[in-house]
Amino acid sequence: LDSGKGILGDKLLPGGMLYFKIDDPLIRLTGEADEEDIERAIMKKLKMDGLVLADVNLVREMDRDIDGASHIVPARINKNGKLGKSSAASMDQFDSLCSYSRDLLIRMGQEIMEGNAYINPYRYKKMTACRYCPYSSVCQFDPSFQDNRYRLIKDMKEEEVWSNMGDGRDDSGQ
């Protein structure tokens, strides 16, 4: 990881890569609900998604009220004080992810500079990139044409994802 130096000269390390959906969630509760129940339901809807560094102390700093599963980040601390079922990665995995992303962006930039701007939308299960694309009238992608094929994204186990990143392949196996 190309970590710079912090204000105090310490090496900068990632705490995580988290996504927060900006929303004003509608909460449906049945029966009696007090303010605390409503607050808990809202927090559950707004919980961040992504990846945190596999470090119990860091997770405790991200959610200082954590007791079991966090209501803020995708992490859990078990009763024994260790990280439980969490969306967490080691420092080596973060390094691998950053390196893979950097290499992928370089390859994409090179493709653009070489004039390769082919239509290449993805398909994941029944969802496609074309579903919400505002440029469909311009690109004219039609899967009924022989040369128009979706780039299929398959489900992978977590180990497969990390393994593929480690050997420099992108999600199409190249």
Side-chain angles (χ1 to χ4, degrees):
L1 192 64
D2 289 338
S3 300
K5 294 286 183 180
I7 295 171
L8 301 176
D10 297 331
K11 182 178 178 182
L12 298 176
L13 300 173
M17 296 185 307
L18 300 164
Y19 307 92
F20 180 77
K21 181 179 180 182
I22 298 174
D23 195 9
D24 188 8
L26 180 62
I27 305 299
R28 296 180 194 270
L29 297 172
T30 56
E32 292 291 319
D34 61 13
E35 287 289 324
E36 195 171 303
D37 292 334
I38 295 169
E39 182 72 24
R40 197 174 7 253
I42 291 171
M43 291 296 289
K44 186 175 182 178
K45 289 273 191 181
L46 295 177
K47 182 177 179 175
M48 288 186 267
D49 196 9
L51 198 60
V52 295
L53 187 63
D55 180 315
V56 174
N57 294 328
L58 177 71
V59 171
R60 287 189 190 282
E61 286 297 319
M62 290 179 169
D63 182 355
R64 293 190 175 163
D65 296 326
I66 192 168
D67 182 29
S70 172
H71 298 292
I72 299 171
V73 295
R76 171 182 201 79
I77 296 180
N78 291 336
K79 291 184 185 204
N80 63 6
K82 297 191 181 204
L83 209 56
K85 184 171 171 40
S86 303
S87 182
S90 69
M91 194 61 224
D92 287 343
Q93 288 172 317
F94 267 100
D95 286 341
S96 179
L97 180 58
C98 288
S99 177
Y100 176 82
S101 299
R102 186 180 312 105
D103 292 346
L104 184 60
L105 288 170
I106 289 169
R107 282 198 314 264
M108 291 168 64
Q110 289 169 339
E111 289 282 321
I112 292 169
M113 295 302 288
E114 292 169 7
N116 297 327
Y118 49 87
I119 302 167
N120 192 18
Y122 75 84
R123 179 180 183 153
Y124 175 69
K125 296 181 181 178
K126 293 184 179 189
M127 186 172 57
T128 70
C130 300
R131 184 174 181 183
Y132 300 106
C133 180
Y135 304 106
S136 59
S137 62
V138 175
C139 92
Q140 297 292 309
F141 179 81
D142 185 346
S144 64
F145 293 144
Q146 183 177 0
D147 291 338
N148 286 351
R149 296 285 176 250
Y150 286 110
R151 183 172 35 97
L152 300 177
I153 297 177
K154 63 178 185 162
D155 275 332
M156 287 192 275
K157 291 186 164 76
E158 187 176 333
E159 303 82 44
E160 288 179 275
V161 173
W162 291 116
S163 175
N164 286 350
M165 272 192 262
D167 64 19
R169 295 185 304 178
D170 64 21
D171 61 9
S172 64
Q174 299 175 358

